[in-house]
Amino acid sequence: MKSDPPQRIDYSDADASGIANSRGWIRLRTLVFLRWWAIAGQLIALVVAQHFLDMLLPLALCYFVVGLTIISNIYATAVFPENRRLSDRETFFVVFFDMMQLSVLLYLTGGLNNPFSILIVGPVTVSASALSTRSTVTLGVLVIIITSLLTQLFEPLRSMDGAILEVPSIFLIGNWIAIIIAVSFLGVYSQWIVSEVASMSEALQATQMALAREQKLTDLGGVVAAAAHELGTPLATIKLASSELASELSDNPDLHEDAVLIREQADRCRDILRSMGRAGKEDVHMKFAPLSAVLEEAADPHVDRGKDLVFDASTEWGGNGPQPTIERKPEVIHGLRNLIQNAVDFSKSRVWIESVWNKEFIAVRIMDDGKGYPAHLIGRIGDPFMRSRTPGVDLQRPEYEGMGLGLFIAKTLLERSGAELSFANGPEVNSGDEEQRGAIVEVTWPRGQIDRMEGSDRGSLGPNEPITS
């Protein structure tokens, strides 16, 4: 295998343009509710420090600072509707205000000598969970700067008898270091986790969109094919009658032309319905097809893209039975189609689509003669949004803008059908034309999971169901 393979990109047929960015749109009511809890905690701490711990604090200034937050909360509740959602910028300023308010309170109550100083990490954690990376980094840097200043600049804590209360320098430095570590770790950790959850949520939404579209296309094909089936007899009758009229009206050119036109239009209606209904029928028999037919249907959109698609069916696992007949599930067809598309996108000239089976398993292998997957990404294949195009790589489909979800959608849909997927790079095959087999995808199903027609006692398929969609 050649070194430095290009990045493979997985494309999706799903239109994911409608997926909204879930970050940066928090309800104002949520922040107001959280701030009321913070205000209650600050007021309780001040009351306890004054009346139970006999601390001498600049209470007027402290209550003034807390009062500013109360006023802002009341203003937000009175002016804005409860369902108001804040943009990333607006949320940033709210969190920034809360951070500065807490910093001023800490300045008035002993700086880092105050055991509640660890709470300054809170705004960074909120930012990492709700805001962009830039906003989180900005707040994190500000917290580190403010924390560093609070080690030297603060109003000392005093007891009622005037004694200054402060922790030893080693504990003060340790508290400062702990806050910096907490800001860095919790910020990165929270944003990493939230980013993973958001990416997975958007990818699953795109998967549902792809499956829904495939199901609609299948249903539409069934409706059209059923219409073609039902209209077959009247169209044949029209054609027969018009042919007889044309032969009997041969001596009348005008009427003869009309009869011929009717016959031609009947043929045209038949051809249109036949081509439109090619995707499937509501007929129960059309819900099942041989494995090779399903593979050809999945590969059909990519047959004319200038690459050679080679289909091969065998029983190399020791099976000697006939080719399995499987259900034409939309998720199976769409998943296989995405895998084939990815192989065609990155092959040089040829893609192999092999199917093998025995009594226990059915498997499909899709291989290409490209340069394969990057070795360091093989373990991550199937993760959403992990792809990137290498600049300068020749794009077989430059007009197609993918979302990087193709392999994820294929993996998710096929696993939903009971399959297991494995990705690998194949060895070079030194055949006569020195082909190179690059990427290999193997999809394996337990035979009982997908082969609904197996065995001699499979029973009847039942009557055709009426079209309901």
Side-chain angles (χ1 to χ4, degrees):
M1 185 64 61
K2 296 181 180 180
S3 60
D4 193 24
Q7 298 260 347
R8 294 179 63 90
I9 305 176
D10 46 301
Y11 287 114
S12 164
D13 286 337
D15 179 11
S17 61
I19 300 176
N21 187 351
S22 60
R23 300 171 68 87
W25 293 97
I26 298 178
R27 289 188 305 172
L28 176 62
R29 186 174 70 173
T30 301
L31 287 180
V32 169
F33 180 77
L34 293 175
R35 295 175 85 199
W36 281 124
W37 277 99
I39 290 170
Q42 291 171 356
L43 292 176
I44 292 173
L46 291 175
V47 171
V48 170
Q50 178 185 9
H51 296 286
F52 295 92
L53 300 180
D54 294 330
M55 304 294 297
L56 187 60
L57 300 174
L59 293 176
L61 290 175
C62 291
Y63 284 121
F64 174 76
V65 173
V66 176
L68 291 177
T69 306
I70 295 175
I71 293 173
S72 66
N73 251 15
I74 295 174
Y75 176 82
T77 303
V79 173
F80 298 102
E82 291 186 356
N83 60 352
R84 169 70 183 275
R85 292 187 179 271
L86 302 179
S87 66
D88 186 276
R89 182 183 181 87
E90 292 170 333
T91 307
F92 171 81
F93 282 115
V94 172
V95 176
F96 175 76
F97 176 86
D98 293 340
M99 182 189 69
M100 296 306 299
Q101 186 256 12
L102 181 59
S103 300
V104 173
L105 274 182
L106 290 176
Y107 168 79
L108 295 173
T109 56
L112 295 192
N113 294 287
N114 190 324
F116 293 103
S117 59
I118 191 64
L119 294 178
I120 201 171
V121 176
V124 179
T125 305
V126 172
S127 175
S129 302
L131 303 181
S132 63
T133 302
R134 183 175 62 180
S135 299
T136 302
V137 171
T138 301
L139 289 175
V141 171
L142 288 175
V143 166
I144 292 175
I145 293 174
I146 291 172
T147 303
S148 301
L149 293 175
L150 288 176
T151 59
Q152 302 296 326
L153 302 176
F154 56 87
E155 290 294 327
L157 286 174
R158 299 177 183 273
S159 62
M160 287 298 182
D161 57 6
I164 297 178
L165 304 177
E166 58 183 5
V167 299
S169 298
I170 188 171
F171 289 103
L172 186 66
I173 296 174
N175 194 20
W176 173 70
I177 295 175
I179 291 176
I180 292 178
I181 293 175
V183 167
S184 304
F185 175 77
L186 291 179
V188 173
Y189 178 81
S190 299
Q191 188 154 73
W192 196 348
I193 295 299
V194 171
S195 177
E196 289 281 335
V197 172
S199 296
M200 185 61 66
S201 176
E202 292 179 359
L204 289 174
Q205 187 176 353
T207 303
Q208 289 299 115
M209 292 168 60
L211 180 58
R213 193 177 77 167
E214 189 71 25
Q215 184 66 57
K216 287 181 181 179
L217 292 175
T218 301
D219 293 343
L220 179 61
V223 172
V224 174
H229 177 73
E230 296 296 330
L231 293 174
T233 299
L235 286 175
T237 303
I238 293 172
K239 180 179 179 181
L240 178 61
S242 60
S243 298
E244 292 179 352
L245 286 173
S247 62
E248 292 178 2
L249 297 173
S250 57
D251 56 344
N252 190 329
D254 293 336
L255 295 178
H256 176 77
E257 289 180 2
D258 291 341
V260 172
L261 179 61
I262 293 174
R263 181 180 62 189
E264 291 175 349
Q265 293 305 310
D267 288 338
R268 184 182 177 191
C269 290
R270 179 200 61 193
D271 294 338
I272 291 174
L273 289 171
R274 181 181 299 169
S275 63
M276 292 177 65
R278 202 170 48 144
K281 295 183 179 179
E282 189 65 18
D283 193 317
V284 175
H285 289 276
M286 294 304 296
K287 292 185 178 181
F288 301 88
L291 178 60
S292 59
V294 174
L295 293 177
E296 291 174 3
E297 180 180 355
D300 184 68
H302 309 293
V303 170
D304 298 325
R305 290 181 53 196
K307 305 296 177 66
D308 185 16
L309 271 60
V310 180
F311 293 88
D312 181 31
S314 65
T315 56
E316 67 176 49
W317 286 349
N320 54 5
Q323 181 177 179
T325 300
I326 67 174
E327 188 174 355
R328 294 176 56 256
K329 293 182 177 181
E331 55 264 36
V332 173
I333 295 174
H334 192 86
L336 291 173
R337 182 171 295 159
N338 273 13
L339 295 179
I340 294 171
Q341 175 183 313
N342 196 67
V344 171
D345 282 345
F346 293 93
S347 64
K348 294 178 181 178
S349 61
R350 182 170 298 179
V351 174
W352 293 265
I353 303 172
E354 298 181 352
S355 55
V356 294
W357 62 88
N358 60 15
K359 292 183 178 180
E360 287 79 27
F361 296 99
I362 296 174
V364 174
R365 296 195 193 104
I366 301 172
M367 301 172 286
D368 63 66
D369 60 352
K371 293 187 176 181
Y373 301 108
H376 64 286
L377 292 181
I378 287 182
R380 296 177 54 201
I381 294 175
D383 289 349
F385 307 112
M386 60 163 269
R387 92 286 180 267
S388 61
R389 281 277 189 197
T390 300
V393 174
D394 180 30
L395 302 182
Q396 286 79 7
R397 301 179 69 189
E399 77 285 355
Y400 188 94
E401 292 296 333
M403 290 296 295
L405 292 171
L407 289 181
F408 174 82
I409 290 176
K411 187 171 183 291
T412 302
L413 293 180
L414 291 171
E415 286 179 347
R416 179 180 297 181
S417 71
E420 292 185 2
L421 279 73
S422 60
F423 302 87
N425 287 327
E428 293 186 1
V429 179
N430 296 320
S431 58
D433 54 0
E434 295 185 352
E435 296 170 341
Q436 182 190 48
R437 298 198 176 189
I440 298 177
V441 183
E442 182 170 284
V443 187
T444 306
W445 291 272
R447 184 155 183 167
Q449 187 76 26
I450 193 173
D451 187 358
R452 301 298 177 88
M453 308 290 287
E454 183 183 8
S456 59
D457 58 345
R458 64 193 181 204
S460 64
L461 294 175
N464 292 338
E465 297 294 334
I467 301 293
T468 58
S469 59

